[in-house]
Amino acid sequence: MAIINTLAAILVNGLQQGAIFALLGIGLTIILGTMKFLNLAHGALYLLGAYLGLVISQEVTLSNSLLLGFVSDPSAFGLNLSFTVALVLVPLIMFVVGVLMERTVARPFYDRGEVDQLLVTFGLAIVAAEVVKQLMGPNPFPKYNPSTMLGIDVSHPVTLPFAGTFPAWRLLVVVIAFVTIAITYLLIERTDFGLVVQAGTRDSEMVRLLGIDINRSYMVVFGIGAALAGFAGLIGGTIINLTPAMGTDNALVPAFLTIVVGGAGSVVGAILAGFLLGTILAAMQLFYSQWATIVMYSFVAVILITKPEGLFGSVEVEE
Amino acid sequence: MSTDDRTPNLVDRFVALKQQEWFLFTTVAVALLVFPWALIDGLEIVAEFIKTDIGGYTGLPALILIYGIVVIGFNILLGYTGLLSFGHAAFFGGSAYTAALLTRSGFIPELLIKSPILMILIGSLLAVLLAWFIGFLSIRRSGVYFAVLTLTFGQVMYYYAMGPGGWLTNGDDGFTPDPGELLGHFALDQSFPGDLPVLGDLPFLSTLLTDWFYVLVAVTTFLAVVVGYRILKSPYGLIFEALGQNEQRVNFVGLNVFRYKLMAFVISAVFAGVGGALYAMQTLTLHPNGSLYWIISGDFVIMTALGGVGTLFGPIIGAGIFEYIRLVLSGIEIAGYEFGGMWRLLLGGAFVLIIVLFPSGLYGGIKNVASSIAVRFGNTTGRTRERPEHEPAERGGDD
């Protein structure tokens, strides 16, 4: 059946795109919900994740790079470890980046109003993109498809019922993203740490009065958000070519669209909205690719106008 | 201080003079007159000394003023009303494309407009209509929701111009406007005063005012400053400022917050539209990336915040610094090292530092220093409109 095949193809593509949106959205939304901090540098974290993944898992040729004078062999730059190693290392490194960012950048701005937060993180996003551009060169790097993952050879296509053939690694990437999303969900919804975070989104002062060190939770939340964004970048690097502009173009704007559709502060909302937007984008790309982004943006505008609290958000989260 | 006991002294007189409207406008007019000379020839003299090519080039002064016009309006929205829009490229680019399309017969053969002034009027008219529509839908949301909403509308226009709207805009290949002659007579790239007999005898004018396009841009900038100043000094402008400081209180006073916010949004769009139409005359190829893309909206934000939100002239200075770094400093070499692509890094770094250190921007910082000098050495004026200390004045500035 042709229709079922098409639908299945849309679903697989939508899940992959949606997983990236959801990962970005969760990170952004827990930072926004917990600390009331608007992070326009979230796309920069995605960018860093993608390039870290590249350097860890591949060997690339550098050109127009500031590093040219410092590396012994510019035609083989990178650790050339496996994609699996990157899967572990990238989130870890990004977690540390997130913690540092919370301490140095975010904390002084908690009391300075939304506009100042947007401005300073927007500036940071530019700086991060430019640093990557200077270090790695302005030219795009081809997307890195992993050939083996977790010891399994994933370079071969597999045939799915209805959907047709897909490269095995793409399916595995979707599965890993799902597992990560599920773990994050459980962490926020089912653990004591998550309870503190959730309480913090309602009334951070009360949490502090109860004797809980909310500053430490803030650091951890920011770290988790950054790790998720970096992880999204790692996955993003397997489906689109890497450019220094990918952080703002392919991550920042979609991440904000995801959280406003899902409802700011809502993890479940971010997950569902991510997959919804991903599926819309995938479906439109299949039929009217020129209109794909336009339809997605228009959809978001309609949601924002008709349901300002988001599809899955609660009204309590302040605007 | 020996001057302390004399009233009014020189500093006081200067401060009083500064507050006169005519003095302000005359200063602006003179500044606009010498601006191209200072930027090109003035810096060239400095360049001779330091053996580094830091001089501007013909066309740069006009470009800086074009963005200056845009950010005067953007600042009314961000600096006073406190609304951060990431969608002003829609008005800038929308106006630029409208103005440009009318100059080519391919669009509507019967409607061929070859008049720069009409281009500005029609372009900004479109910006007003667009802003009314987008503003009406976005203003009810605040903070990040407002920013994202304006961004989505802008991006819809960008992607339309790049993709499905290619039949109209020529998409990724860019569109070449053909603005025609000013007042049906003076070509824009013709040097000033051309064959205008009255001014032909004034050689210094033709040296200062490079070409007719600069004259058009300078006059428009002057008008923009006057209009911007008058708006901000009017009761209307005071309400904008009040909205930025405490929206709730404005509401309690019984004023229609939505209406005033929408008006601030539309007014700022007019400035963006005027700038966009001028940009369409300045640029050789109009491309969505340089006019409609959200990064352009971001550039407006940077220019405004860099120079100083909530001050009339700060954003114009910000626009000047931004474009100067982007177009001149990006080309220079220091100690054999080419700056080249580093300009954005420099700018981004400077931007972050300014946000962290001087919340009121460069101009705001300078103004604070100046006003403390006035307070130190003058004895009657200087702090007349300063806010009380205990009030959080995140978006400082008062003119």
Side-chain angles (χ1 to χ4, degrees), chain A residues 163-183:
Chain A
T165 53
F166 282 92
W169 63 266
R170 280 186 73 172
L171 298 173
L172 204 55
V173 161
V174 173
V175 171
I176 292 173
F178 262 91
V179 172
T180 312
I181 290 169
I183 292 172

Side-chain angles (χ1 to χ4, degrees), chain A residues 38 66 112 114-115 118-119 122-124 126-127 130 134 249 253 256-257 264 290-291 293-294 297 304-305 308 319, chain B residues 84 141-145 149 152 156 159-160 164 293 301-302 337 341-342 344-345 348-349 351-352 355-356 359:
Chain A
L38 286 164
L66 273 187
R112 272 185 57 179
E114 265 183 347
V115 174
L118 288 171
L119 290 176
F122 183 56
L124 266 190
I126 293 171
V127 170
E130 287 302 312
Q134 295 302 325
D249 289 2
V253 178
F256 267 92
L257 300 186
Q290 280 203 320
W291 289 87
T293 28
I294 300 179
Y297 279 107
L304 265 178
I305 292 159
E319 276 203 356
Chain B
L84 176 59
R141 316 277 163 256
S142 59
V144 64
Y145 292 88
L149 255 178
T152 54
V156 166
Y159 282 111
Y160 181 77
Y293 196 42
V301 176
I302 295 179
Y337 184 74
M342 295 276 265
R344 228 184 152 84
L345 179 61
F351 178 71
V352 171
I355 299 293
V356 173

Side-chain angles (χ1 to χ4, degrees), chain A residues 10-202:
Chain A
I10 289 174
L11 204 64
V12 174
N13 289 329
L15 284 179
Q16 189 173 8
Q17 191 63 66
I20 294 175
F21 289 174
L23 286 167
L24 285 165
I26 299 170
L28 194 61
T29 212
I30 57 175
I31 292 172
L32 175 62
T34 315
M35 288 154 273
K36 306 279 173 286
F37 185 76
L38 286 164
N39 185 16
L40 282 185
H42 206 65
L45 299 168
Y46 169 93
L47 169 74
L48 290 182
Y51 272 82
L52 272 176
L54 179 80
V55 173
I56 290 173
S57 70
Q58 308 278 310
E59 260 180 359
V60 293
T61 307
L62 291 178
S63 58
N64 288 331
S65 150
L66 273 187
L67 293 174
L68 279 183
F70 302 98
V71 289
S72 50
D73 184 8
S75 62
F77 181 73
L79 301 175
N80 205 12
L81 302 167
S82 70
F83 188 77
T84 320
V85 177
L87 270 180
V88 179
L89 278 185
V90 169
L92 280 179
I93 299 172
M94 292 311 295
F95 181 84
V96 176
V97 170
V99 168
L100 290 176
M101 191 175 159
E102 199 274 335
R103 304 271 334 230
T104 54
V105 182
R107 196 169 288 177
F109 277 83
Y110 289 154
D111 302 326
R112 272 185 57 179
E114 265 183 347
V115 174
D116 276 4
Q117 294 173 0
L118 288 171
L119 290 176
V120 78
T121 50
F122 183 56
L124 266 190
I126 293 171
V127 170
E130 287 302 312
V131 168
V132 167
K133 191 169 158 189
Q134 295 302 325
L135 291 182
M136 301 295 293
N139 304 331
F141 289 102
K143 52 192 174 188
Y144 41 89
N145 308 337
S147 53
T148 55
M149 260 161 88
L150 311 168
I152 314 163
D153 182 13
V154 289
S155 54
H156 300 297
V158 286
T159 308
L160 288 180
F162 305 121
T165 53
F166 282 92
W169 63 266
R170 280 186 73 172
L171 298 173
L172 204 55
V173 161
V174 173
V175 171
I176 292 173
F178 262 91
V179 172
T180 312
I181 290 169
I183 292 172
T184 317
Y185 173 78
L186 291 176
L187 183 72
I188 302 285
E189 300 283 331
R190 294 278 185 273
T191 63
D192 285 353
F193 169 75
L195 204 61
V196 172
V197 172
Q198 283 188 58
T201 63
R202 297 287 171 92

